[in-house]
Structure formats: C-alpha cells, structure tokens
Amino acid sequence: MEFIHKSVLFDEAIESLNIDSNKIIADGTAGGGGHSCEIAERAKRLIAIDRDPDAIRVLNERLGGFGNVTIVNDEFKNLKTILDNLGIDGIDGLLLDLGVSSYQLDNGERGFSYHKDAPLDMRMSKSGLSAADVVNTYSEEALADILFRYGEEKFARRIAKEIVGAREDKPVETTFELVELIKKAYPNKAMRDSHPARKTFQAIRIEVNAELEQLAGALESAIGCLNSGGRISVITFHSLEDRMVKETFAKWANPCTCPKEFPVCVCGKKPLGRMPFKSKAPTEAELKDNPRARSSRLRCFEKF
C-alpha cells in the first residue's frame, strides 16, 4: 500500500515556520513527506524524523533527490540527542504534525482503524507494547482509567468491564472483536452521536504510543534546541494534546509566578518568546476536501 497522507493545515504550517534558505528545520513527524518536501525546497537543511519504519522507507524514496535532507528513524522526543549526533548546535524551526497518519489509518494491517478488521496493533514504531497487550493484560481499573483520561469516554467503566469479561474466555485479538465489545457496553441512545469505538481506539492508541509523554518530552527538548528567532509549530487533533501545547506556549510567553495583585514582577522569570498567533483551524474548503482535518489546530511559538 502506498504511503499517502493528506497534510492538514499545509499552507498555514509552512508559513508559520517562516522558512528561508539560511535556516535548519526539523520535521519531527515527517510521515509521507508532505510537509518535508516543501520544507526541503525552502530551507538550508531539513532533519526529517519519524519512528514508523514504513514512513522512513517512503521518505528515503521521496526525499532522496534532495542534498540538504537527513532522514532519522527515531522518536521526536529525542530531538536533542538526534541533533547532537548530527553535530547540530541549534535549529531554526520544528514542525510536529501529531496523531495518526492517513496511511496508518487506511492500512488495515496496522490496526489503527475501527472500520477495518485487523490484528490489534496500533504501534507507530511497529515495536514494543501493542494494543492487544493493553486490552488483554491491563486490569479493569487501569483500562477504565486510560479510556477516561485519554479518550474522555464517559462509558469507560462499562467498556472496561465488557473487555475483561470477554477475555476470560479468549484473548481479544482483532479490531472488530474490540468494536463489538464496545458496542455491547454502549447505551443505544448514545450510538447516534458518533462511532462508539472512536474514543476507545484513540485512548488505546495514545497509551500504546505514549503520545502525551512523547509530546511533553519533545516540547521540553525543543525550546532548548531552538536558535533565537526559531519557531515551533504544532498541529494537534484532540483536546488533550492541544491543551498541553497551549499551556506550554502560554507558560513560555508569560512565566511570571508573582501574585496578580503585585504591581510589578519580582520573581525575575523572563518570557522565552511569543506566540505569533493564537491558533489556526482548517478552512471550510480544506474540511470539504479532507474531513479528517475537522478537529485539527495549529499553534506556534517563536523564541526570543
């Protein structure tokens, strides 16, 4: 299957990075190379990073003609180590396009989609903890907690109980088996709102890939890797990661911890930079062309 991924907020993301021919840019989620190809055309150097072996194979094919591109198979939270290994002291921009790619969703073998029957996998790196491991080995309490925290699923306890009950007879091995258990736990009236498996699959995927820990680590690492005037641009797809990015950028822009009633700052904490804009959402035209973009948001931070 060809690695195809529609880059969400493409023009907005590229513009936000403020790229020119003197800058070194890192794409922490290079995927199928949608953003990366454009960055490589404009920048002095591109560091294209992805943890998915399928993506790395495609990136080598699609970016092979560029002499200014370095492709790295790693997790973006390891940005500092990656740059150190390449002898790069600082970068002028970082792009993170979070979440699961269109290729990963559409490739049934990967187990990300609740619309395709496949082994329970969901591993972006194709290694380590799998969705089957989570579903079949986590306690009922741990499952319910994950579904509630990462999926904001209000029927988390009912779903967790259904899963644990079913696996006493046999392991839950496929996506459709999991979908059927979720449907059993869902009240009929709630089935009309959206696909009942959407939140559960999101939650398990986040747990399997440690997505929030990855993001927190990447943000902490990235601010120290940015040169003065450098920008971090992040595209998010759900409220948990968007909240983390929003709060982190806000803290960097206004780190003062003094009580509001103080007339002047005495804590001595200085802003690390600014947010060029609050956030950007897809246009109606983009949503018509790519419905998967509906929940996406772009945020940007520029370092002083």
Side-chain angles (χ1 to χ4, degrees), residues 147 240 268:
L147 300 189
L240 297 176

Side-chain angles (χ1 to χ4, degrees), residues 156-220:
R157 293 191 180 281
R158 296 173 63 161
I159 295 169
K161 184 176 181 180
E162 197 70 43
I163 290 171
V164 171
R167 76 189 192 195
E168 289 179 357
D169 295 327
K170 64 174 288 295
V172 182
E173 298 176 331
T174 71
T175 53
F176 277 9
E177 286 177 15
L178 179 57
V179 168
E180 288 306 309
L181 293 174
I182 296 167
K183 287 181 177 178
K184 286 182 181 179
Y186 246 67
N188 288 333
K189 63 180 181 181
M191 298 278 278
R192 297 190 297 268
D193 298 335
S194 63
H195 197 291
R198 180 176 64 84
K199 294 179 179 180
T200 293
F201 270 60
Q202 172 184 296
I204 295 173
R205 191 200 78 218
I206 290 173
E207 172 70 9
V208 166
N209 297 288
E211 292 180 30
L212 295 182
E213 292 86 349
Q214 285 276 334
L215 178 57
L219 293 173
E220 181 180 350

Side-chain angles (χ1 to χ4, degrees), residues 3-11 13-14 27 29-41 46 48 50 55 58-59 62-63 66 95 97:
F3 200 122
I4 297 174
H5 175 58
K6 290 186 177 180
S7 298
V8 171
L9 290 161
F10 180 86
D11 292 335
I14 295 297
D27 185 347
T29 48
H35 290 115
S36 286
C37 287
E38 185 66 22
I39 294 170
E41 291 276 5
L46 165 68
D50 207 288
V58 172
L59 289 169
R62 295 180 180 174
L63 299 176
F66 291 96
L95 175 64
D97 182 0

